[in-house]
Amino acid sequence: QVQLVESGGDLVQAGGSVRLSCVASGRMFSTYAMAWFRQAPGKEREFVSAINLSGISTFYADSVKGRFTISRDNAKTTVYLQMNSLKPEDTAVYYCAARKNLYSTSFSRYDYWGQGTQVTVSS
């Protein structure tokens, strides 16, 4: 079992930055690929970014590429999402997710989810 707890959500102005954290409890964090998804009101949950077991390989949705950076610290069992140059359309609840071994862009393939953290970007 893996439990995920996100933090760092905030209300920021367009162009600002926010750093999200997701702390995992449970054993063998380094055997889980990690990802961030987001869900805006009235919209489906969408993939944002993912990172492989070691942190060397990352993947981003086109909408955030060049603005967001995912990273992980296996010693701290934490995954981060640094979000820069935020836009109003980035407003959503951001969720951390984990699955064994390989990452995926499909939310249905993830086994563990956090409770979400709200990011609101004002124009």
Side-chain angles (χ1 to χ4, degrees):
Q1 279 281 10
V2 176
Q3 294 180 329
L4 305 173
V5 179
E6 303 99 331
S7 62
D10 204 354
L11 168 63
V12 297
Q13 290 188 332
S17 297
V18 170
R19 188 194 197 201
L20 304 182
S21 299
C22 173
V23 179
S25 62
R27 302 176 65 181
M28 303 177 73
F29 174 74
S30 61
T31 66
Y32 287 85
M34 302 298 295
W36 289 94
F37 288 78
R38 67 186 181 186
Q39 188 165 19
K43 295 188 176 181
E44 293 187 351
R45 191 166 299 191
E46 66 172 353
F47 171 79
V48 175
S49 182
I51 190 166
N52 75 336
L53 306 185
S54 66
I56 292 176
S57 177
T58 58
F59 190 74
Y60 298 92
D62 287 343
S63 58
V64 306
K65 201 172 294 183
R67 299 188 299 122
F68 291 11
T69 303
I70 190 171
S71 61
R72 67 188 294 164
D73 185 334
N74 286 345
K76 295 182 178 180
T77 66
T78 302
V79 61
Y80 305 97
L81 186 68
Q82 178 67 44
M83 305 189 294
N84 299 329
S85 303
L86 284 162
K87 305 175 181 180
E89 51 264 43
D90 294 318
T91 295
V93 177
Y94 283 72
Y95 297 90
C96 174
R99 74 184 298 261
K100 271 290 192 179
N101 299 322
L102 299 177
Y103 63 66
S104 171
T105 61
S106 173
F107 71 84
S108 65
R109 294 183 178 271
Y110 285 83
D111 302 307
Y112 302 101
W113 291 86
Q115 82 289 349
T117 186
Q118 176 72 47
V119 174
T120 302
V121 184
S122 63
S123 57

